[in-house]
Amino acid sequence: MASDITSAAPTGWRARHAGTIRQWRLYAHLFRRSFSSMLGLFLVVLFLVLAAAGPALAPYPEDTMGAVHLDNRLKPPSLAHPFGTDEMGNDILSRVIVGTRTSLWIGLIITGVAALIGVPLGIFAGYMGGRIREVIMRITDVFLSVPGLALALAIVASLGPGITNCVIALSLVWWPGYVRLIDSKTLALKEELYIEAARAIGARTPRILFHHILPNCVSPLIVKASMDMGMAILSAASLGFIGLGAKPPSPEWGAMISVARSYMPDWWWYALFPGLAIYLTVLGFNLFGDGLRDILDPKSRGR
């Protein structure tokens, strides 16, 4: 009797989730053994912290709002201003720190909107096939036939310069990559036995798409989104550099470099530190995405 009571007693949380705990420990072990993945994780966390607490960490927060200090104009790096000052006497370190929030917000919005457009279209095209897939994929090919940045330039030129229009333009040209990725993954998944079994028991198409196929597309989707974050930030900075993105005094890295080019090469620090921030952000997200790919890809885990 006592043994029956003991066997019927509810097991602990760790016992119930032992498999999941082992899986996450494996993921952590695989991630830790790669120096590049850990470097990417460090850079991503660093910029996330700067984005979350930027105004509190900036030594001169008023300089991010367009203050003017002509007595400090174009001062080289020093203890008071480690990154130097710009043409208005503003502290470049403060502007780079606060600009992190703007750049990450841009990358997150662009990647999120592109995924919201591309993922449903890719799943629907891959699963339905036939004429529906032909129409979706030909529209996708039209967008892919034009370089993304050139198409974004045309859209921003028609909408007008500004950070909001820049985000809209890049979101509209970013989604075809997600359609291609999810379409190819869906084509492979829809022939699996568990999909055939779901059809046999009468599961409706929306349930098959979003309860069986979509969860199995999450791994490549996460990897692509993490890498696209860096490229979206770089593209937005490119539009800002040519004057179609954020406008001064907005502390956006591309706009800062755009203004700084008029003062090169004598005032080299003006462009160096915003450019270094862009470089490290893109590098961090790319390395982090590589690490996620090694974890989520069974072939990479085997190697």
Side-chain angles (χ1 to χ4, degrees):
M1 186 70 175
S3 61
D4 293 341
I5 295 175
T6 303
S7 62
T11 57
W13 182 89
R14 292 180 64 88
R16 293 197 307 270
H17 299 86
T20 303
I21 293 173
R22 285 195 299 269
Q23 188 73 21
W24 280 103
R25 284 178 176 173
L26 173 62
Y27 289 165
H29 170 72
L30 292 172
F31 207 88
R32 283 198 307 267
R33 73 179 186 179
S34 171
F35 172 77
S36 61
S37 299
M38 292 301 295
L39 176 61
L41 177 62
F42 170 77
L43 291 173
V44 169
V45 171
L46 173 63
F47 283 106
L48 288 175
V49 170
L50 291 177
L57 297 175
Y60 302 94
E62 69 278 2
D63 287 2
T64 65
M65 308 296 238
V68 177
H69 309 287
L70 294 181
D71 53 328
N72 286 330
R73 184 175 183 270
L74 294 172
K75 293 289 182 68
S78 62
L79 290 177
H81 303 282
F83 287 5
T85 61
D86 61 15
E87 81 284 359
M88 294 297 178
N90 294 322
D91 181 60
I92 294 178
L93 174 60
S94 300
R95 292 178 62 79
V96 169
I97 290 176
V98 176
T100 305
R101 178 177 296 181
T102 302
S103 295
L104 290 185
W105 172 80
I106 289 172
L108 183 62
I109 294 297
I110 292 172
T111 305
V113 172
L116 287 176
I117 296 174
V119 170
L121 288 177
I123 290 181
F124 196 62
Y127 184 79
M128 300 303 295
R131 289 186 175 274
I132 294 177
R133 182 173 184 271
E134 283 295 320
V135 171
I136 294 175
M137 299 312 295
R138 295 299 76 79
I139 295 174
T140 303
D141 290 339
V142 169
F143 278 85
L144 291 174
S145 64
V146 182
L149 194 57
L151 184 57
L153 284 171
I155 296 174
V156 174
S158 63
L159 296 177
I163 190 169
T164 301
N165 291 340
C166 169
V167 171
I168 293 173
L170 288 172
S171 299
L172 291 177
V173 303
W174 217 265
W175 60 267
Y178 289 89
V179 175
R180 282 288 186 187
L181 173 67
I182 302 302
D183 171 70
S184 61
K185 186 69 174 177
T186 303
L187 287 174
L189 290 174
K190 74 176 186 178
E191 304 299 332
E192 295 289 338
L193 289 177
Y194 66 91
I195 301 296
E196 296 291 343
R199 292 197 198 99
I201 63 175
R204 296 180 179 272
T205 297
R207 181 171 181 82
I208 294 175
L209 293 180
F210 295 104
H211 288 268
H212 298 286
I213 293 180
L214 181 59
N216 288 282
C217 297
V218 168
S219 296
L221 183 61
I222 291 175
V223 174
K224 179 172 175 57
S226 64
M227 291 186 170
D228 278 355
M229 277 287 296
M231 297 310 298
I233 291 172
L234 180 61
S235 298
S238 301
L239 293 180
F241 177 77
I242 61 178
L244 295 177
K247 293 293 184 182
S250 175
E252 196 273 326
W253 296 334
M256 293 172 66
I257 298 176
S258 177
V259 177
R261 61 182 173 176
S262 303
Y263 299 92
M264 294 292 289
D266 295 332
W267 294 279
W268 51 269
W269 60 86
Y270 195 169
L272 173 64
F273 294 108
L276 190 61
I278 295 172
Y279 169 76
L280 291 177
T281 304
V282 176
L283 176 66
F285 277 104
N286 284 348
L287 293 178
F288 183 66
D290 280 339
L292 290 178
R293 181 193 60 198
D294 292 340
I295 287 176
L296 299 174
D297 184 7
K299 294 181 181 179
S300 298
R301 288 204 300 266
R303 289 194 297 269

